[in-house]
Amino acid sequence: MLEHDVIIVGGGLAGSRAALAIKQTHPSLDVGLVAKTHPIRSHSVAAQGGIAASLQNVDSEDAWEAHAFDTVKGSDYLADQDAVEFLAKDAPNTIIDLEHMGVLFSRLPDGRIAQRAFGGHSHKRTCYAADKTGHAILHELVNNLRHHGVTIYEEWYVMQLILEDNEAKGIIMYHLLDGHLAVVRAKAVMFATGGYGRVFNTTSNDYASTGDGLAMCAIAGLPLEDMEFVQFHPTGLYPAGVLISEAVRGEGAYLRNSEGERFMEHYAPKQMELAPRDITSRAITLEIRAGRGLHPDGTAGGPCVHLDLRHMGKEKIMSRVPFCWEEAHRLVGVDAIHQPMPVRPTAHYSMGGIPVNTEGQVRWNGDTLVEGFFAAGECACVSVHGANRLGSNSLLECVVYGKRTGIKLAQYVQNRKMPSFDAQTYLDKAQKRIYGLLEQEGNMRIGQLRQQFQDCMSEHCGVFRTDAIMQEGLDKIRQLQDQYHQIRLDDQGDCWNTELIEALELGNLLVVGEMILASAYNRKESRGAHSREDYATRDDEKFLQHTLSYYSPAGIDIQYMPVVINRFQPQERKY
Ligand SMILES: Cc1cc2nc3c(=O)[nH]c(=O)nc-3n(C[C@H](O)[C@H](O)[C@H](O)COP(=O)(O)OP(=O)(O)OC[C@H]3O[C@@H](n4cnc5c(N)ncnc54)[C@H](O)[C@@H]3O)c2cc1C
């Protein structure tokens, strides 16, 4: 059996930053980090637009309080304000810290770190490395991991969290290279497993964003928080769904409908294209529904709108957002210097996740904590984004709370013994599950079932929702879950069996999808990214609360938990 003081699942920004913080605090601690991809291929590497901090390099009026207020307002008042305060206060130091590690940020002419405008932020506070910010940060973090002696298990797939009596004791993982299973025992386990964009048929997320960490927690009996809040990013390139960063609008691009009109003036007259994402995605969806969308050939009545960069000029486009230009050129043949890009909303980010306190320790409910278990990054819900995340706050959350969780972990394991459990029983069960999948006889293909599921989620839990649509979605999901037992795998081997991994991931997607739908069905109001056509307004009296959803094969149990409000009282959101 493998053993570490701390085992971290996830090599993106959150997991890497936490591992580094542990080693920087207590170099003698033995830290293992597992990733199902190479850590550098974690979705964090694809982050484009930037990372927010009130450095005041471009806008001397900015302050951490303004950043905190924008974040809470953006969250539609569902964020926990103690968590937001720490995020906004720590942000400037976080950037300087990253810079000292070697991250190459874009610069102002005088050499200081440049900052740009982003949706929902009242000041220019987003630091960036052109439109490849995640790439710049993750490479430095992962280089530093190696330098500090963190043991990296790359291309190992974690199948299960070992949780006994409300205490996390380790994990079980499967090696893609040769199919062998291993149990890892640890004084503390941390999940930094990222998001679940693959629940939907159109997403900006990578193929590995399948919500594994969330599903493993749910199956172990732990709650998930605020799963109904799914962010649809306004500008997914049509039809691919890949992201065209908000930085493009931050640098001045316009959204136009089939009449050439900058339609955001009807939805957010002050902030226009830089309104928060929930508002902009709804606006685009309403324009398309009203027949003012476009077809790819430019004729009216189609499924997308135009993102127009032409007035920005070649030099600005190629220096500030070159990657977005390249994406549109490569994927849909559009040269954005001369033509508008076709865009529509795409599933992008998970506001909800594994409930944690502000030191990253997993919460069983409002008061009780789970021993030995921590989480940070997109898979966690601390909650700094509430019902709607502002752009460039996620990278920040990963780094700030990754580091904070690492520091706490280094302290926590000092007083903890290595837990004991019967590893063989867990290994036998995992082996049985794998054989079960390899040998099961059915006529359903993974791709077929996954497509039906993703279509179901997109149709029944998209930008706009109603009771009737979601109830139908829940019924369909339960049928699809039954069909999971009828999938047939062609590859029976143990060398690089990616089909088996896809089957395991699909099992997780089906659980996460049901948690999202059940949480959304029960929230009978509209708040942030959760827009109900049958309950069109926000209802603070009943629903200024966090959802906690508990999974069981018989159905989902929903409870609620208070929101921390200590500075900004809820107001109507206007932009
Ligand atoms: C295209 C795109 C652009 C973005 N741009 C920005 C931006 O400009 N600014 C911003 O603030 N945010 C942005 N975001 C959001 C932000 O990038 C993510 O929220 C953040 O990077 C998530 O980091 P993470 O460390 O939580 O997880 P990830 O980077 O997703 O890493 C997850 C890790 O967990 C591992 N893992 C998962 N499941 C398992 C398993 N079963 N076994 C083993 N390992 C597992 C994966 O291998 C991976 O290493 C963007 C997101 C996308 C998709």
Side-chain angles (χ1 to χ4, degrees):
M1 183 163 41
L2 299 166
E3 275 185 14
H4 292 283
D5 290 318
V6 181
I7 186 78
I8 298 176
V9 186
L13 248 54
S16 298
R17 189 64 192 88
L20 217 49
I22 300 172
K23 289 302 249 180
Q24 286 165 335
T25 325
H26 284 281
S28 62
L29 286 174
D30 174 7
V31 181
L33 183 145
V34 194
K36 65 178 173 178
T37 51
H38 186 287
I40 288 284
R41 293 185 57 230
S42 305
H43 187 59
S44 293
V45 82
Q48 302 176 353
I51 174 166
S54 54
L55 279 179
Q56 301 173 329
N57 287 357
V58 173
D59 190 339
S60 58
E61 307 269 282
D62 200 7
W64 76 261
E65 289 91 341
H67 186 182
F69 175 70
D70 292 343
T71 302
V72 169
K73 181 179 172 190
S75 83
D76 221 345
Y77 294 90
L78 195 71
D80 285 326
Q81 297 184 12
D82 53 345
V84 173
E85 180 170 333
F86 184 78
L87 181 86
K89 270 188 183 161
D90 204 47
N93 280 336
T94 296
I95 301 298
I96 291 166
D97 203 30
L98 289 174
E99 183 186 48
H100 289 178
M101 255 181 228
V103 176
L104 291 168
F105 286 107
S106 294
R107 300 280 161 176
L108 295 170
D110 66 6
R112 289 174 305 149
I113 293 174
Q115 298 189 277
R116 59 166 53 127
F118 242 72
H121 290 280
S122 55
H123 295 78
K124 286 190 176 175
R125 65 166 71 101
T126 297
C127 311
Y128 57 94
D131 52 358
K132 301 171 186 174
T133 312
H135 187 274
I137 303 177
L138 191 64
H139 274 73
E140 285 312 326
L141 290 182
V142 173
N143 279 342
N144 275 284
L145 285 183
R146 298 197 188 276
H147 179 66
H148 281 84
V150 173
T151 307
I152 299 179
Y153 298 92
E154 61 197 40
E155 291 165 338
W156 282 80
Y157 182 87
V158 176
M159 290 178 62
Q160 193 187 340
L161 167 71
I162 297 178
L163 183 87
E164 293 177 348
D165 305 324
N166 206 31
E167 183 183 349
K169 298 183 169 179
I171 53 168
I172 301 173
M173 57 188 197
Y174 170 94
H175 200 189
L176 267 96
L177 183 70
D178 59 10
H180 89 268
L181 287 166
V183 173
V184 185
R185 188 159 76 125
K187 292 179 186 166
V189 178
M190 176 182 170
F191 272 15
T193 48
Y196 56 59
R198 291 282 147 190
V199 161
F200 295 89
N201 63 14
T202 307
T203 176
S204 66
N205 287 190
D206 69 342
Y207 285 95
S209 296
T210 50
D212 299 339
L214 303 179
M216 284 189 269
C217 286
I219 291 166
L222 298 176
L224 297 181
E225 183 174 343
D226 290 342
M227 290 297 283
E228 59 274 43
F229 298 106
V230 179
Q231 178 160 82
F232 294 91
H233 193 291
T235 55
L237 189 65
Y238 179 81
V242 303
L243 191 72
I244 298 298
S245 174
E246 194 169 293
V248 174
R249 281 171 286 135
E251 296 292 356
Y254 300 148
L255 284 168
R256 296 186 192 277
N257 61 18
S258 61
E259 290 158 16
E261 181 193 29
R262 284 179 68 193
F263 56 86
M264 284 308 294
E265 67 187 357
H266 304 300
Y267 303 92
K270 274 202 213 138
Q271 295 244 3
M272 295 291 286
E273 281 85 357
L274 287 177
R277 292 176 178 174
D278 54 343
I279 292 172
T280 313
S281 284
R282 278 196 287 277
I284 294 175
T285 309
L286 290 172
E287 289 297 305
I288 293 169
R289 273 192 190 178
R292 293 187 291 271
L294 291 128
H295 290 286
D297 65 2
T299 54
C304 55
V305 295
H306 274 158
L307 181 64
D308 192 351
L309 288 73
R310 289 173 293 186
H311 57 284
M312 287 163 55
K314 182 174 176 180
E315 200 194 320
K316 190 169 185 184
I317 294 173
M318 295 318 254
S319 64
R320 304 283 176 85
V321 289
F323 183 64
C324 291
W325 178 88
E326 186 195 317
E327 274 186 320
H329 195 249
R330 182 164 41 88
L331 296 169
V332 294
V334 164
D335 174 357
I337 295 167
H338 304 292
Q339 298 160 281
M341 296 181 185
V343 293
R344 58 172 291 149
T346 184
H348 182 60
Y349 183 81
S350 153
M351 264 77 72
I354 306 163
V356 292
N357 69 11
T358 50
E359 292 185 307
Q361 194 166 359
V362 175
R363 301 164 78 171
W364 164 247
N365 57 28
D367 308 316
T368 324
L369 299 174
V370 182
E371 282 306 327
F373 193 29
F374 294 76
E378 189 168 340
C379 73
C381 182
V382 56
S383 136
V384 287
H385 312 301
N388 173 62
R389 168 172 81 85
L390 295 189
S392 69
N393 266 351
S394 169
L395 293 182
L396 180 66
E397 179 199 5
C398 288
V399 185
V400 166
Y401 280 101
K403 178 176 173 189
R404 193 172 205 201
T405 305
I407 292 171
K408 176 68 188 176
L409 271 163
Q411 256 174 28
Y412 181 87
V413 296
Q414 302 295 321
N415 305 317
R416 213 170 129 78
K417 286 203 194 88
M418 199 53 96
S420 59
F421 56 88
D422 177 4
Q424 195 56 46
T425 312
Y426 285 104
L427 274 176
D428 292 346
K429 268 197 201 149
Q431 195 65 65
K432 210 170 144 196
R433 189 168 148 212
I434 288 177
Y435 285 149
L437 276 168
L438 291 178
E439 287 165 10
Q440 99 189 357
E441 285 181 13
N443 51 11
M444 183 61 112
R445 310 313 310 244
I446 295 175
Q448 206 183 347
L449 183 59
R450 188 175 49 215
Q451 188 67 52
Q452 285 179 25
F453 162 73
Q454 291 170 332
D455 290 346
C456 166
M457 286 302 296
S458 303
E459 196 178 324
H460 296 277
C461 210
V463 173
F464 288 105
R465 303 160 176 188
T466 66
D467 262 350
I469 288 179
M470 286 189 285
Q471 184 58 60
E472 219 179 290
L474 275 166
D475 295 343
K476 270 195 202 167
I477 291 239
R478 291 188 185 126
Q479 286 165 16
L480 295 172
Q481 284 170 342
D482 289 340
Q483 292 178 28
Y484 183 67
H485 304 289
Q486 290 156 26
I487 53 175
R488 174 168 60 83
L489 273 63
D490 278 341
D491 188 349
Q492 314 285 315
D494 49 19
C495 175
W496 223 267
N497 191 339
T498 51
E499 200 186 19
L500 175 68
I501 299 299
E502 283 186 44
L504 292 167
E505 288 176 337
L506 177 57
N508 289 332
L509 286 172
L510 286 162
V511 170
V512 172
E514 189 183 353
M515 302 289 270
I516 296 171
L517 261 170
S519 305
Y521 181 81
N522 276 274
R523 185 175 283 274
K524 301 196 189 297
E525 66 157 353
S526 288
R527 182 184 297 274
H530 177 63
S531 289
R532 303 267 316 226
E533 288 179 292
D534 44 359
Y535 299 93
T537 52
R538 191 172 88 192
D539 182 351
D540 284 345
E541 214 167 289
K542 281 199 199 134
F543 287 106
L544 186 49
Q545 302 194 72
H546 295 294
T547 306
L548 288 181
S549 49
Y550 294 80
Y551 174 81
S552 89
I556 312 286
D557 182 32
I558 302 283
Q559 295 179 18
Y560 291 96
M561 179 172 78
V563 178
V564 179
I565 297 173
N566 57 10
R567 187 177 280 268
F568 309 112
Q569 286 308 311
Q571 305 166 15
E572 193 191 342
R573 267 172 94 214
K574 281 198 194 137
Y575 288 95

